[in-house]
């Protein structure tokens, strides 16, 4: 099986925060947060497998949620007691890491947690998107499923996703859609494990994000040490839609940990 090479970049010094982007994004998406926090924290940003500057092996098995978690962990656990988190797909990967290695994770930041493959239409959307990528290419598939008539994102979020979408290897995105996003477990399915997780958690959602606001609220209810922040006038890509409000919420949460 192919080795996976993960790109990461680090800014600042202090307690470690490691963040993963959403589907079709990259480490660049969290640079506003890294710049805002670098005076007090060491912020490391990653490109997940199949995205941007990380490798994109051919094997579908390297794009399952456990495989993405392992790749993320290789970066996160270079640091002692990291806070880990991400947006959408990145949030799912970070939560899976905390569930697998709760004693090695200091805290969690879960932004715009994605809807599950168990919800009506989600599995069909993800597999249809993957089929369209393979049949028609990234540009046409993205126009239909990410920023067009079948988009599951708010208009602002869809535009932000579009900006970097075409830089990724098509087969990597298709594998992630089929292997992870199509069958992502729901918060209800994960609830027994989530209730046992004793890790401080910040859950952040945009008030205009009809896709992720319900699972974010559900996470905040079931996790023992979670707090929920709903950002006004923001949709799915909440950290870029309202960076000042997002940074304030994140900075306040991190400050309470040190």
């Amino acid at each position: 099986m192919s080795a996976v090479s993960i790109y990461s970049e680090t800014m600042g010094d202090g307690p470690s925060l490691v963040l993963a982007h959403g589907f079709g994004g990259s480490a660049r998406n969290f640079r506003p947060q890294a710049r805002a926090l670098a005076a007090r924290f060491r912020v490391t940003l990653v490109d997940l497998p199949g995205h941007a500057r990380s490798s994109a092996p051919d094997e579908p098995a390297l794009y399952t949620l456990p495989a993405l978690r392992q790749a993320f962990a290789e970066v996160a656990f270079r640091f002692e007691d990291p806070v880990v988190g991400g947006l959408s797909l990145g949030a799912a990967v970070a939560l899976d890491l905390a569930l697998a290695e709760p004693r090695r994770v200091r805290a969690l930041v879960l932004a715009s947690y994605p809807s599950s493959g168990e919800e009506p239409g989600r599995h069909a959307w993800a597999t249809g998107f993957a089929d369209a990528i393979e049949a028609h290419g990234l540009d046409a598939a993205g126009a239909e499923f990410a920023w067009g008539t079948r988009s599951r994102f708010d208009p602002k979020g869809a535009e932000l996703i579009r900006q970097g979408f075409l830089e990724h290897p098509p087969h990597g995105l298709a594998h992630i859609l089929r292997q992870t996003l199509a069958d992502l477990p729901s918060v209800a399915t994960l609830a027994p494990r989530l209730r046992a997780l004793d890790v401080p958690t910040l859950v952040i959602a945009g008030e205009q994000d009809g896709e992720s606001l319900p699972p974010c609220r559900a996470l905040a209810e079931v996790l023992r040490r979670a707090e929920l922040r709903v950002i006004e006038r923001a949709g799915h890509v909440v950290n870029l839609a309202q960076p000042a409000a997002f940074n304030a919420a994140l900075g306040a949460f991190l400050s309470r940990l040190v």
Side-chain angles (χ1 to χ4, degrees):
M1 190 168 286
S2 301
V4 179
S5 174
I6 299 300
Y7 171 85
S8 66
E9 57 189 59
T10 298
M11 188 181 302
D13 196 17
S16 289
L17 169 66
V18 186
L19 296 172
H21 56 83
F23 175 75
S26 73
R28 300 180 186 96
N29 298 148
F30 273 117
R31 283 179 180 167
Q33 285 65 57
R35 288 191 292 267
L37 297 167
R40 295 181 292 147
F41 301 95
R42 180 190 293 112
V43 186
T44 299
L45 313 177
V46 304
D47 288 346
L48 291 171
H51 288 81
R53 294 145 295 187
S54 288
S55 63
D58 291 329
E59 296 93 330
L62 293 175
Y63 297 91
T64 63
L65 185 58
L68 297 180
R69 176 191 77 215
Q70 181 177 346
F72 181 60
E74 289 176 6
V75 177
F77 292 147
R78 293 173 191 167
F79 310 101
E80 186 177 357
D81 256 355
V83 177
V84 300
L87 177 107
S88 196
L89 171 65
V93 172
L95 177 59
D96 198 56
L97 179 58
L99 289 169
E101 301 273 5
R103 293 179 179 152
R104 300 181 70 184
V105 170
R106 184 174 189 178
L108 269 171
V109 178
L110 307 177
S112 302
Y113 194 82
S115 57
S116 80
E118 301 167 25
E119 296 180 12
R122 178 68 175 185
H123 181 93
W125 175 86
T127 55
F129 197 170
D131 291 345
I133 289 172
E134 292 176 342
H136 308 298
L138 281 183
D139 200 1
E144 181 180 1
F145 286 87
W147 54 83
T149 56
R150 297 181 67 180
S151 173
R152 298 176 70 93
F153 308 108
D154 59 283
K156 177 71 171 176
E159 181 58 32
L160 289 167
I161 290 167
R162 183 180 187 178
Q163 290 174 9
F165 192 76
L166 300 183
E167 75 170 316
H168 308 302
H171 70 278
L173 296 190
H175 286 330
I176 288 174
L177 284 161
R178 289 199 186 99
Q179 300 298 319
T180 293
L181 293 177
D183 296 304
L184 196 70
S186 68
V187 175
T189 296
L190 292 174
R193 298 175 67 199
L194 294 173
R195 291 191 185 98
L197 188 62
D198 188 23
V199 173
T201 304
L202 174 65
V203 183
I204 308 181
E207 68 166 349
Q208 299 169 356
D209 188 0
E211 186 79 16
S212 289
L213 190 53
C216 283
R217 292 192 187 280
L219 280 172
E221 289 176 2
V222 73
L223 287 166
R224 295 166 59 185
R225 300 178 65 186
E227 56 185 90
L228 174 66
R229 293 290 179 268
V230 178
I231 305 296
E232 295 180 355
R233 301 183 302 281
H236 191 68
V237 191
V238 58
N239 65 305
L240 296 180
Q242 294 293 340
F246 186 96
N247 294 350
L250 178 56
F253 173 74
L254 295 173
S255 294
R256 290 193 292 274
L257 298 174
V258 299

